Amino acid sequence: VTMSSSTARFSLTSASTGRYGRGLALRYRSDIARILVGIVPVLLVACGGATFGSDRETNFGRAVEASVDESWEDAARAAYGYVKDATADDQLYDRALLLLARSLEHAGLTYAASLYYLDVAQARRNAELLDEAVAGLERIVRAGSYDRTVLVDGFLATAEISGLRPELQAFVAYQQGLASTRAGLDDWADAQQG
């Protein structure tokens, strides 16, 4: 089933979703998200501050330095400078995405930050970074202003996520149990909370 509107496209496909058996996997692609990701560099330039060159390694180093100095706009600008010219198979790509996400989160752009955290968590290209990505998603969800369809329904409550620190695993189990309860799947909810 596919539904389209000017702001979002949803597609539902029958799929096995691990502990949910033969459920429906919700895939969400948001036109707004693509627009927002395209606007972030414009916002960063419009905010003023230093501009960074096109050398990716230099931009990554500057992003790390600015992050340590808590200069979030400069960190976001430099991290984006790295990401825009990199590919997903680049060795530092996910680390740069996390720097960008953290910088955007501190700058108050939590929706954009959540998309970058989500990218790292869903892709799982670097297992070492999964905890940090899920921790970022947890902070945003707990803060209360987030896109539940994308973050919770589309990932946290439906994906097989394991190997996290105990407190993050508990957060994911809670989200999965809550989603099961909302769907009337009390046995599965009990198993998640058990």
Side-chain angles (χ1 to χ4, degrees), residues 19-20 176-194:
R19 79 178 108 250
Y20 291 97
Q176 292 177 346
L178 185 60
S180 294
T181 299
R182 287 181 178 146
L185 305 171
D186 295 332
D187 291 338
W188 282 346
D190 290 341
Q192 284 300 320
Q193 302 305 317

Side-chain angles (χ1 to χ4, degrees), residues 40-84:
V40 166
V42 174
L43 292 173
L44 294 174
V45 171
C47 291
T51 57
F52 299 111
S54 61
D55 180 50
R56 286 184 304 161
E57 287 72 24
T58 300
N59 282 334
F60 186 83
R62 288 180 177 161
V64 170
E65 288 174 17
S67 177
V68 168
D69 294 339
E70 296 183 3
S71 177
W72 303 117
E73 289 177 10
D74 289 344
R77 189 175 298 105
Y80 182 78
Y82 182 91
V83 169
K84 73 179 175 87

Side-chain angles (χ1 to χ4, degrees), residues 11-157:
S11 65
L12 294 173
T13 58
S14 291
S16 173
T17 55
R19 79 178 108 250
Y20 291 97
R22 286 174 288 157
L24 291 177
L26 175 64
R27 288 191 208 144
Y28 180 92
R29 287 187 347 219
S30 170
D31 293 335
I32 293 173
R34 285 194 303 270
I35 291 168
L36 183 58
V37 169
I39 289 175
V40 166
V42 174
L43 292 173
L44 294 174
V45 171
C47 291
T51 57
F52 299 111
S54 61
D55 180 50
R56 286 184 304 161
E57 287 72 24
T58 300
N59 282 334
F60 186 83
R62 288 180 177 161
V64 170
E65 288 174 17
S67 177
V68 168
D69 294 339
E70 296 183 3
S71 177
W72 303 117
E73 289 177 10
D74 289 344
R77 189 175 298 105
Y80 182 78
Y82 182 91
V83 169
K84 73 179 175 87
D85 294 326
T87 61
D89 59 342
D90 188 297
Q91 180 177 329
L92 296 173
Y93 184 76
D94 285 329
R95 292 185 189 279
L97 284 179
L98 287 176
L99 278 169
L100 180 56
R102 190 176 323 117
S103 300
L104 293 171
E105 181 183 0
H106 283 285
L109 299 171
T110 57
Y111 183 77
S114 73
L115 297 178
Y116 291 117
Y117 285 132
L118 183 62
D119 184 16
V120 173
Q122 279 183 322
R124 300 177 200 191
R125 290 176 289 259
N126 186 337
E128 295 174 11
L129 304 178
L130 183 60
D131 274 4
E132 188 174 346
V134 172
L137 292 173
E138 179 184 19
R139 283 190 307 274
I140 291 170
V141 168
R142 287 187 186 271
S145 181
Y146 64 96
D147 186 338
R148 190 179 102 195
T149 303
V150 173
L151 300 182
V152 177
D153 299 342
F155 179 65
L156 292 170

